[in-house]
């Protein structure tokens, strides 16, 4: 029969209905129940935050959590430091006590170009007195704050920053608030002592969101995701840390007792089995320097689209016996090097300041600059955010400035070099009227941004259409800024539904639009009618509904109409949806024009493919066979996952098998699958399918 994952981890008992219901248990019963709830909650945290793959609804999760909180309130002496309830932050500390590392945390030498990297490889070979190619592990160099996590008998007991390498600051309480850090290790063969090293990070998208929120309440923005992560960890008040969207990526170990590891690759394979987060999709085992160079180019090419900032790749000699032979000099090991990317900052001059109008009417000042290369891309515009930012940084036309970009975000001005300011320059003030339509621009008291009040302002309308068609939204190729502008000016499109009423004849009438490209555009529009629900929700451009919130909503609802009558309170019950977001969604769907627009879109053939359906399409009713070992799941977990999604897990390959999921090693099942023509999935494919 079908086993469900929920059963294994404890579904809330039937008697847990209301949040405040008292329960009558004696202490022994309570202890057992508390233990069961903790295990379940941490298991769900692992799926949600480490594997990015939740298996129960938020409401169910909340029920478990509240139940645990209640029991711990009733039996305070049963609270332990590794309880998931302890992740919300504790009383502020008086200071961050020093923490002496058992093994010093070294830093890395840099290679700034290919030549320097190849010299490193030569040095390694020479030192090891070998001519054979060295086996390297290549990893992204995550740009955050390096920390150490200490586990004793599998329990997280302490965590500290790197500090000077010998002594750091103890930040245990703060680290506990990071959901992707396990409070207890999972899996088998738990070591007596495990020191894990890794980087605390903030996603570029979360960093931007955090900065926007800070701007609104008049707090200074963080300069970059690294500063934001570091500032959030080095807090005396762990409640502040708890409110920051932090994540971790582990890349190594310090002292380990009671478990034997022989190579860096083994480390990176073992840590996830204990529930620790390693971005395995981004690491690679390389034979010799040529493969490392290939890896370097690949990561560099993806740099802007990665979720986290990276400033290079780290290359490590894989074998620990070789690492020991190589040893370290002063502060850095001979067995590793940081092969850096181009810096993300550059200096240039501001030629002019323009004011743009966004899809929500926000007036955004933009600096036009002398073109300059930053992180491998030539840029000539930087955002100045708003008037407060301009004033705080004292930016003026003609200034020489340091600019910076993170991920694929628009560059921003970090700092003005005042010594180079030309004489007679004046303070820049954003106009009080919309530069596009001349309507009044309003700035609500508690906001940093002025907005054009005219919702049919051409600039807003064009931006909404452009956003709808943009790559991360519905990705309609050919409907970029220029074409939207043309189509709007010609009166062909006035809203997003008009996109689906475009005809080839009309398009060809536009100058510069050849028949071929007109047809391509129409094809792209046609294709976009099959719209994944989450992308569609993001594409609507509802304020505060970014890609992440859109995904959260799409997991919860499967049809657009289901959102119409949900109240703010109901939205807020969903984890990760706060009052502001809830208010904005309710406001959006409360407007008649917006509902009409949805109706028109559906009538014109836009078909929303819900995430729930999509998932089921891939798994339900299908038979899976697993072979080899997976990194993210044990065999049993993977099988349970399949069954919980309505699929079937079998142990041997036959004609009835739909998919063979092949982990690491190649086996006879794989050969058989190929012979029978059964589709073979990699772990990555499988992971996408279940997501
Ligand atoms: S290995 C001796 N691996 O870079 C080994 N470090 O300059 C040293 N970092 O303090 C660390 N990603 O904060 C290593 N994949 C990675 C890394 C990484 C980022 C940081 C870490 C370290 C600094 C060294």
């Amino acid at each position: 029969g079908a086993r469900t994952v929920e059963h294994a981890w404890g579904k809330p008992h039937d008697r847990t209905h209301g949040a405040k219901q008292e329960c009558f248990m004696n202490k022994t019963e309570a202890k057992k129940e508390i233990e069961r709830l903790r295990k379940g909650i941490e298991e769900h945290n692992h799926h949600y935050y480490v594997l990015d793959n939740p298996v129960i609804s938020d409401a169910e999760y909340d029920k478990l959590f509240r139940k645990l909180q209640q029991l711990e309130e009733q039996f305070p002496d049963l609270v332990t430091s590794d309880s998931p309830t302890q992740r919300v932050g504790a009383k502020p500390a008086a200071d961050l006590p020093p923490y002496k590392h058992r093994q010093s945390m070294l830093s890395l030498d840099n290679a700034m170009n290919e030549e320097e990297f190849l010299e490193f490889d030569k040095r390694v070979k020479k030192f090891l007195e070998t001519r054979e190619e060295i086996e390297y592990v290549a990893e992204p160099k995550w740009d955050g704050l390096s920390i150490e996590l200490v586990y004793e008998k599998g329990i997280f007991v302490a965590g500290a920053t790197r500090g000077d390498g010998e002594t750091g600051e103890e930040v245990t309480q703060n680290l506990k608030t990071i959901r992707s850090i396990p409070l207890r290790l999972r899996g088998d063969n738990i070591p007596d002592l495990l020191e894990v090293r890794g980087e605390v990070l903030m996603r570029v998208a979360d960093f931007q969101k955090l900065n926007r929120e800070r701007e609104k309440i008049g707090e200074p923005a963080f300069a970059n995701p690294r500063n934001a992560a570091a500032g959030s960890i080095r807090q005396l008040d762990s409640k502040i840390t708890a409110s920051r969207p932090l994540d971790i990526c582990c890349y190594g170990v310090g002292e380990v007792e009671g478990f034997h590891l022989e190579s860096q690759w083994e480390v990176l394979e073992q840590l996830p089995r204990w529930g620790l987060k390693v971005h395995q999709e981004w690491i690679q085992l390389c034979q010799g320097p040529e493969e490392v160079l290939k890896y370097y180019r690949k990561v560099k090419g993806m740099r802007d689209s990665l979720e986290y900032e990276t400033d290079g790749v780290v290359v490590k000699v894989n074998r620990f016996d070789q690492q020991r032979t190589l040893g370290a000099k002063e502060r850095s090991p001979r067995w590793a090097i940081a092969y850096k990317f181009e810096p993300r900052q550059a200096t240039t001059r501001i030629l002019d300041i323009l004011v743009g109008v966004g899809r929500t009417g926000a007036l955004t000042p933009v600096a036009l600059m002398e073109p300059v290369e930053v992180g491998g891309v030539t840029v000539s515009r930087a955002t100045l955010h708003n008037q407060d930012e301009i004033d705080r940084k004292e930016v003026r036309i003609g200034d020489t400035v340091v600019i910076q970009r993170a991920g694929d975000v628009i560059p921003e001005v970090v700092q003005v070099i005042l010594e180079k300011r030309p004489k007679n320059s004046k303070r820049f003030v954003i106009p009080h009227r919309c530069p596009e339509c001349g309507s009044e621009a309003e700035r609500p008291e508690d906001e940093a941004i002025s907005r054009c009040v005219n919702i049919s302002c051409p600039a807003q309308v064009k931006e909404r259409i452009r956003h709808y068609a943009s790559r991360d939204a519905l990705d309609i190729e050919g409907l970029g800024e220029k074409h939207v502008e043309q189509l709007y000016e010609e009166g062909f499109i006035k809203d997003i539904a008009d996109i689906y009423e475009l005809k080839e004849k009309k398009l060809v009438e536009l100058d510069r639009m050849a028949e071929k490209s007109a047809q391509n555009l129409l094809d792209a529009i046609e294709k976009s009618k099959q719209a994944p629900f989450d992308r569609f929700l993001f594409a609507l451009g509802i304020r505060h509904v970014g890609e992440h919130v859109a995904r959260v909503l799409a997991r919860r609802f499967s049809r657009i109409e289901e959102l119409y009558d949900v109240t703010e309170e109901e939205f807020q019950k969903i984890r990760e949806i706060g009052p502001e977001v809830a208010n904005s969604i309710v406001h959006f769907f409360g407007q008649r024009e917006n509902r009409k627009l949805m109706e028109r879109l559906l009538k014109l053939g836009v078909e929303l493919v819900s995430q729930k359906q999509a998932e089921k399409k891939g798994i339900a009713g299908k038979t899976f066979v697993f072979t080899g070992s997976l990194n993210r799941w044990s065999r049993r977990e993977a099988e349970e996952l399949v069954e919980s999604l309505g699929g079937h897990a079998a142990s041997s390959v036959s004609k009835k098998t739909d998919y063979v999921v092949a982990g690491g090693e190649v086996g006879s099942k794989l050969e058989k699958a190929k012979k029978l023509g059964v589709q073979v999935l990699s772990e990555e494919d499988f992971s996408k399918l279940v997501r």
Side-chain angles (χ1 to χ4, degrees):
R3 279 166 296 169
T4 68
V5 190
E6 285 96 330
H7 280 147
W9 303 343
K11 248 191 172 161
H13 279 167
D14 282 344
R15 43 188 160 139
T16 34
H17 281 311
K20 275 279 161 238
Q21 190 171 332
E22 282 288 320
C23 39
F24 304 97
M25 279 188 203
N26 65 34
K27 197 156 169 185
T28 325
E29 284 170 343
K31 192 167 176 190
K32 237 173 109 186
E33 178 67 0
I34 283 178
E35 201 37 53
R36 193 184 69 93
L37 288 163
R38 284 182 187 157
K39 195 151 177 245
I41 291 167
E42 280 299 297
E43 205 60 51
H44 291 307
N45 273 341
H46 178 69
H47 270 257
Y48 195 97
Y49 294 100
V50 178
L51 306 179
D52 192 15
N53 193 358
V55 287
I56 55 166
S57 73
D58 295 349
E60 271 178 294
Y61 177 92
D62 291 342
K63 253 193 216 165
L64 291 171
F65 200 88
R66 276 201 303 272
K67 178 86 208 266
L68 176 60
Q69 272 178 325
Q70 270 173 45
L71 278 174
E72 288 186 352
E73 264 166 42
Q74 257 181 293
F75 299 95
D77 53 327
L78 292 181
V79 179
T80 57
S81 71
D82 64 339
S83 173
T85 55
Q86 304 304 301
R87 287 188 182 277
V88 290
K91 271 203 303 237
D95 57 355
L96 299 177
Y99 182 91
K100 177 118 179 52
H101 301 292
R102 286 184 179 81
Q103 282 181 16
S104 47
M105 292 179 76
L106 300 177
S107 62
L108 294 169
D109 279 348
N110 291 333
M112 302 312 286
N113 51 46
E114 193 171 315
E115 204 187 330
E116 290 181 12
F117 168 69
L118 292 172
E119 276 165 21
F120 160 80
D121 174 62
K122 268 200 201 127
R123 275 200 303 278
V124 169
K125 279 194 196 132
K126 197 166 162 206
F127 208 98
L128 293 174
E129 295 173 352
T130 176
R131 287 199 189 166
E132 273 165 42
E133 295 291 30
I134 305 292
E135 190 168 67
Y136 292 111
V137 176
E139 311 165 19
K141 186 170 190 304
W142 307 108
D143 201 6
L145 176 76
S146 67
I147 50 102
E148 176 169 81
L149 309 171
V150 186
Y151 289 88
E152 284 173 12
K153 302 228 180 307
I155 306 283
F156 176 59
V157 293
T161 63
R162 188 179 101 92
D164 63 4
E166 302 302 324
T167 309
E169 290 167 314
E170 202 225 285
V171 285
T172 314
Q173 274 307 327
N174 298 350
L175 290 170
K176 272 190 187 170
T177 68
I178 302 178
R179 299 294 202 278
S180 48
I181 295 180
L183 300 179
R184 286 186 220 186
L185 298 181
R186 46 201 318 277
D188 308 320
N189 305 318
I190 304 292
D192 296 322
L193 172 70
L194 176 70
E195 290 183 336
V196 185
R197 275 134 190 222
E199 202 85 351
V200 170
L201 300 166
M202 197 179 282
R203 281 191 178 82
V204 176
D206 287 333
F207 155 75
Q208 286 190 295
K209 189 163 157 249
L210 178 66
N211 266 355
R212 278 197 301 273
E213 283 160 8
R214 287 172 69 82
E215 265 167 29
K216 265 189 215 143
I217 55 170
E219 300 265 348
F222 288 109
N224 51 47
R226 173 168 27 87
N227 286 11
S232 304
I233 284 298
R234 302 189 57 257
Q235 287 284 338
L236 293 174
D237 185 354
S238 50
K239 293 229 164 57
I240 298 183
T241 315
S243 74
R244 303 275 170 80
L246 296 171
D247 203 348
I248 187 150
C249 179
C250 305
Y251 53 66
V253 290
E255 203 124 300
V256 184
E257 284 167 17
F259 193 89
H260 188 70
L261 293 157
E262 298 227 316
S263 68
Q264 172 65 7
W265 190 251
E266 252 181 57
V267 168
L268 297 179
E269 278 193 326
Q270 184 55 43
L271 293 179
R273 295 193 191 116
W274 286 325
L276 292 150
K277 192 157 170 176
V278 171
H279 279 280
Q280 276 165 322
E281 66 276 30
W282 289 108
I283 55 182
Q284 197 174 304
L285 194 59
C286 300
Q287 309 298 331
E290 284 306 319
E291 286 189 24
V292 174
L293 290 176
K294 262 193 214 143
Y295 171 86
Y296 175 85
R297 287 180 209 121
K298 185 177 95 185
V299 178
K300 191 165 129 169
M302 304 291 292
R303 184 183 186 192
D304 282 351
S305 51
L306 290 182
E307 283 183 296
Y308 306 94
E309 271 282 75
T310 56
D311 56 344
V313 304
V314 180
V315 186
K316 302 173 185 170
V317 170
N318 184 34
R319 280 165 45 185
F320 282 173
D321 60 329
Q322 291 185 328
Q323 286 191 7
R324 279 189 292 271
T325 311
L326 285 154
K329 40 167 209 197
E330 287 174 59
R331 308 259 23 99
S332 50
R334 286 195 197 86
W335 46 264
I337 197 152
Y339 182 3
K340 305 273 279 202
F341 296 141
E342 283 89 4
R344 290 290 211 179
Q345 290 198 337
T347 306
T348 183
R349 209 166 60 87
I350 296 184
L351 303 173
D352 199 0
I353 297 178
L354 307 178
V355 176
V357 185
R359 60 171 199 268
T360 56
L363 302 194
T364 311
V366 177
L368 280 191
M369 310 170 302
E370 266 167 17
V372 63
E373 211 194 280
V374 203
V377 179
T378 303
V379 299
S380 56
R381 279 162 185 257
T383 175
L384 295 169
H385 299 290
N386 54 53
Q387 188 69 52
D388 291 350
E389 283 286 295
I390 293 181
D391 295 344
R392 203 170 57 78
K393 293 175 183 159
E394 296 188 61
V395 184
R396 296 179 179 185
I397 296 171
D399 274 346
T400 300
V401 291
V402 177
I403 61 160
Q404 159 181 283
R405 48 186 284 275
D408 56 1
V409 227
I410 320 164
E412 51 177 13
V413 171
V414 185
Q415 190 194 349
V416 173
I417 303 176
L418 285 173
E419 300 84 64
K420 295 203 176 165
R421 171 165 288 171
K423 282 186 203 122
N424 309 325
S425 71
K426 283 195 300 274
R427 174 170 175 245
F428 181 85
V429 182
I430 298 175
H432 297 290
R433 294 200 161 272
C434 171
E436 184 81 18
C437 70
S439 308
E440 202 183 321
E442 257 178 17
R443 179 174 166 180
E445 232 172 76
D446 53 345
E447 287 196 23
I449 291 181
S450 327
R451 284 173 206 281
C452 161
V453 295
N454 171 16
I455 57 159
S456 357
C457 165
Q460 288 185 42
V461 174
K462 282 184 276 188
E463 267 305 297
R464 282 199 290 268
I465 299 171
R466 199 194 52 72
H467 171 77
Y468 183 83
S470 67
R471 198 184 59 186
D472 296 329
L474 288 199
D475 193 16
I476 307 181
E477 215 182 311
L479 202 54
E481 193 173 337
K482 259 193 219 141
H483 277 143
V484 170
E485 176 79 36
Q486 269 186 332
L487 291 165
Y488 181 87
E489 294 307 331
E490 294 290 332
F492 292 168
I493 43 177
K494 292 173 300 316
D495 61 35
I496 52 178
D498 290 342
I499 295 174
Y500 298 99
E501 298 198 52
L502 286 172
K503 298 271 156 12
E504 190 182 340
K505 229 176 108 213
K506 277 195 191 172
L507 288 177
V508 178
E509 283 167 25
L510 291 180
D511 28 314
R512 281 180 300 167
M513 181 79 114
E515 249 166 71
K516 180 96 194 299
S517 51
Q519 192 51 53
N520 285 348
L521 177 56
L522 290 175
D523 289 347
I525 291 173
E526 194 57 34
K527 215 174 87 193
S528 78
K529 284 184 180 170
Q530 290 289 324
F533 194 35
D534 57 334
R535 280 177 172 249
F536 177 78
L537 285 169
F538 172 63
L540 292 178
I542 305 169
R543 256 182 98 185
H544 304 303
V545 178
E547 283 172 281
H548 182 70
V549 173
R551 239 174 280 141
V552 170
L553 289 172
R555 271 209 284 265
R556 190 61 171 255
F557 304 94
S558 30
R559 292 177 331 124
I560 194 83
E561 298 92 327
E562 289 172 21
L563 289 152
Y564 289 0
D565 299 313
V566 181
T567 63
E568 281 185 40
E569 292 77 52
E570 283 166 336
F571 274 125
Q572 282 190 55
K573 283 198 190 126
I574 304 175
R575 201 161 19 145
E576 292 178 276
I577 295 201
E580 224 178 6
V581 182
N583 175 281
S584 167
I585 305 170
V586 169
H587 178 77
F588 183 90
F589 288 108
Q591 278 175 309
R592 270 192 52 202
E593 306 94 85
N594 285 336
R595 291 202 193 189
K596 269 196 194 146
L597 190 64
M598 298 303 112
E599 249 169 58
R600 263 183 75 209
L601 285 168
L602 298 180
K603 244 193 216 133
L604 286 165
V606 174
E607 249 181 82
L608 301 179
V609 186
S610 94
Q611 217 150 312
K612 289 185 201 159
Q613 284 164 5
E615 272 170 12
K616 292 232 178 86
K617 245 188 223 159
I619 306 251
K622 300 276 163 66
T623 299
F624 286 73
V625 173
F626 293 88
T627 174
S629 63
L630 303 176
N631 293 314
R632 292 189 176 198
W633 297 274
S634 72
R635 171 86 52 98
R636 218 188 110 220
E637 283 171 344
E639 289 175 352
E640 285 183 340
L641 187 56
V642 161
E643 303 215 327
S644 74
L645 295 168
H648 179 69
S651 52
S652 61
V653 182
S654 72
K655 272 189 285 188
K656 283 192 200 148
T657 314
D658 295 292
Y659 299 107
V660 168
V661 182
E665 314 88 60
V666 195
S668 60
K669 286 183 192 171
L670 198 58
E671 272 164 34
K672 190 156 176 206
K674 283 182 183 153
K675 219 184 268 167
L676 291 170
V678 174
Q679 191 174 352
V680 178
L681 303 178
S682 67
E683 178 167 353
E684 200 47 41
D685 299 333
F686 175 66
S687 153
K688 277 190 194 134
L689 202 62
V690 294
R691 206 177 291 162

